[in-house]
Amino acid sequence: MKLRILGAAAGGGVPQWNCGCGNCTDARAGRIAPLTQSSIAATGDGSRWLVVNASPDIRVQLAAVPALWPRELRGSPLVAVALTNGDVDHVAGLLTLREKTAFDLFATPEILGELEANPIFGVMSPDLVRRRPVPPGALFDVAGLEVESFSVPGKTPLYREAGEVKTEEVGEMTVGYALRSGGRTALCIPGCAAITDDLDARLRSADLILFDGTTWENEEMPRLGAGEKTARRMGHMPMHGPGGTLERLSGLTARKVFVHINNTNPVLQPESRERRLAESAGWEIGFDGMEIEL
Ligand code: MLT
Ligand code: MN
Ligand code: ZN
């Protein structure tokens, strides 16, 4: 199996259009690498590709990878998209994939329902873009991979929030995918609010995890003045602190890579103390173009 991180950033990217934080400023000045928004490509046969999440940056992401270029007048090695949630950073790129090429669109019935409820997604004509409802627990084969969908604690998309928001809901709104080929398992979990027992067992038997790296600490955005919400309110586990990813996922044998990294996260600075701490806990910081062969 081959995987490629098309975009390692969380929603907004690095730099984010309206953000003057240290990381965004450094990315504009070329001092740190810019990052596009959350997407991962994978193949089990080296020819057909599954893309996990269609980010708003998908047009430039596909253009940057020769393996994903068309091989004929019209067509694409991208044969399927699988969604982990209905957030804008994971679905807006579907609008770019509208130019009359067939592919399969895998998502839970609830997430497909969110797309269905919004007529703009009708531009992906249903006769070409086949909606494939896959509830958590479903197994399917695509791009030479055996794929399993599983529930991950999370919340409803921001644009659907109303009243009191449950941030650690286990159901159909947030999922991860296990990708299997040649006896190896990769887990794609770009958004995760908490580690359940079920998730813990999966993580412990995987060979590779691509995991939610949104923020370093829970209070990161409020502390910086970049926003009011904590990581946990946004449905994301912070890396550091009590119950954070570094603590919860110590002792895994899998290769561990952070993806969906917010532009405020200090691990994006190569010389930072936070980066050193994450790396000494065995984590790699994902970047656009990162290739992994399993
Ligand atoms: C998130 O991951 O928290 C969302 O992408 C936020 C958003 O919709 O902007
Ligand atoms: Mn996101
Ligand atoms: Zn920023």
Side-chain angles (χ1 to χ4, degrees):
M1 162 174 17
K2 274 192 208 157
L3 297 106
R4 185 175 173 115
I5 298 180
L6 299 181
V14 187
Q16 175 175 305
W17 75 282
N18 63 344
C19 190
C21 78
N23 287 341
C24 288
T25 302
D26 283 350
R28 287 188 190 95
R31 288 186 290 268
I32 64 169
L35 301 176
T36 61
Q37 296 166 83
S38 182
S39 183
I40 296 156
T43 179
D45 63 14
S47 164
R48 296 167 299 160
W49 291 75
L50 164 69
V51 168
V52 178
N53 292 320
S55 100
D57 300 317
I58 196 164
R59 195 185 70 84
V60 289
Q61 291 172 337
L62 298 180
V65 185
L68 287 163
W69 294 352
R71 299 171 195 147
E72 61 220 317
L73 179 60
R74 283 292 161 91
S76 171
L78 182 164
V79 296
V81 173
L83 304 176
T84 61
N85 62 26
D87 284 351
V88 170
D89 57 343
H90 289 162
V91 305
L94 291 170
L95 300 175
T96 296
L97 304 179
R98 71 187 176 281
E99 310 283 1
K100 300 249 181 286
T101 284
F103 63 93
D104 286 322
L105 176 58
F106 294 97
T108 65
E110 268 190 48
I111 296 172
L112 287 178
E114 290 297 335
L115 302 182
E116 197 63 36
N118 190 331
I120 198 169
F121 290 102
V123 295
M124 297 178 295
S125 56
D127 50 326
L128 288 172
V129 181
R130 295 170 296 263
R131 275 63 166 179
R132 305 280 303 270
V134 281
L139 298 165
F140 54 98
D141 289 340
V142 68
L145 301 162
E146 291 164 35
V147 184
E148 181 185 0
S149 164
F150 55 89
S151 280
V152 172
K155 67 166 185 65
T156 198
L158 183 57
Y159 56 86
R160 272 285 179 215
E161 285 187 10
E164 199 176 314
V165 177
K166 284 195 219 147
T167 55
E168 296 185 15
E169 202 166 357
V170 177
E172 287 199 5
M173 272 309 186
T174 310
V175 298
Y177 292 102
L179 313 181
R180 300 195 173 92
S181 174
R184 312 275 280 168
T185 301
L187 301 183
C188 297
I189 310 175
C192 181
I195 309 282
T196 57
D197 290 347
D198 169 71
L199 196 50
D200 187 75
R202 275 182 196 283
L203 290 160
R204 286 183 194 283
S205 63
D207 299 295
L208 167 72
I209 66 173
L210 301 173
F211 196 83
D212 186 342
T214 308
T215 70
W216 173 252
E217 54 190 353
N218 189 42
E219 305 282 337
E220 182 167 305
M221 306 252 303
R223 205 189 300 282
L224 258 176
E228 287 165 9
K229 286 183 188 166
T230 62
R232 293 194 185 280
R233 172 60 185 79
M234 295 188 291
H236 298 289
M237 289 172 70
M239 294 179 177
H240 187 64
T245 322
L246 265 45
E247 179 189 284
R248 279 300 275 111
L249 299 185
S250 60
L252 291 192
T253 53
R255 183 172 172 187
K256 302 180 287 191
V257 181
F258 280 123
V259 293
H260 194 279
I261 305 165
N262 197 54
N263 55 68
T264 52
N265 194 321
V267 301
L268 293 177
Q269 291 287 343
E271 304 303 329
S272 64
R273 175 185 148 269
E274 293 85 354
R275 172 84 156 229
R276 257 199 334 273
L277 286 170
E279 287 176 347
S280 44
W283 286 88
E284 296 171 60
I285 309 303
F287 55 89
D288 288 19
M290 184 177 198
E291 278 182 343
I292 298 173
E293 200 148 351
L294 267 191

